């Protein structure tokens, strides 16, 4: 049986990182773009879900230069951390799924 173990500190943006590109030490941000999620949700729901999973896995990107070449660090001040949960993508995916479900039900009538 395959068991996947979650590594602590290995998911989402907003982690303390050091950028290997610009040498910035700070909190990371999520990679990708919410507008691409909206576009995928309007087109197809499954690709939107896959894209959102890709956005949330990993360390994120550098908040200064946007580079993905980052490593974890412990030099950040925890008081500066923005602990806001991003629910925008969840709302967009839910609305898109409901619209597609209603469309399928309408076409099957």
């Amino acid at each position: 049986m395959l068991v996947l173990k979650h590594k602590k500190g290995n998911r989402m943006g907003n982690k303390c990182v050091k950028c290997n590109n610009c040498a910035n030490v700070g909190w990371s941000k999520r990679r990708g773009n919410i507008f691409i999620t909206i576009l995928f949700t309007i087109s197809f729901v499954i690709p939107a879900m896959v894209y959102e999973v890709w956005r949330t896995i990993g360390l994120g990107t550098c908040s200064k230069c946007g580079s993905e070449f980052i490593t974890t660090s412990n030099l950040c001040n925890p008081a500066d951390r923005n602990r806001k949960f991003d629910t925008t993508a969840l709302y967009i995916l839910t609305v898109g799924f409901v619209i597609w479900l209603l469309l399928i039900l309408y076409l099957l009538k």
Side-chain angles (χ1 to χ4, degrees):
M1 183 172 145
L2 178 65
V3 178
L4 298 175
K5 293 188 177 182
H6 172 66
K7 290 183 178 179
K8 204 172 193 179
N10 197 22
R11 291 194 50 131
M12 295 263 263
N14 211 5
K15 302 290 179 193
C16 184
V17 294
K18 179 182 185 285
C19 180
N20 295 329
N21 190 33
C22 67
N24 178 44
V25 175
W27 299 104
S28 66
K29 62 180 184 176
R30 289 178 79 178
R31 60 185 172 174
N33 193 331
I34 191 67
F35 296 114
I36 295 174
T37 302
I38 294 170
L39 179 68
F40 278 148
T41 304
I42 292 170
S43 305
F44 304 101
V45 175
I46 301 299
M49 290 182 201
V50 172
Y51 182 72
E52 273 305 304
V53 168
W54 172 80
R55 284 185 71 206
T56 58
I57 292 177
L59 293 173
T61 61
C62 174
S63 59
K64 185 175 181 184
C65 70
S67 173
E68 290 188 7
F69 299 110
I70 55 177
T71 56
T72 57
S73 176
N74 59 356
L75 301 175
C76 298
N77 183 3
D80 296 337
R81 184 175 183 179
N82 184 6
R83 294 183 180 251
K84 183 175 71 171
F85 180 70
D86 184 19
T87 57
T88 308
L90 183 63
Y91 292 141
I92 291 169
L93 289 174
T94 305
V95 169
F97 181 74
V98 168
I99 290 171
W100 274 102
L101 187 64
L102 292 173
L103 180 66
I104 289 171
L105 290 175
Y106 177 74
L107 294 176
L108 292 176
K109 259 187 170 179

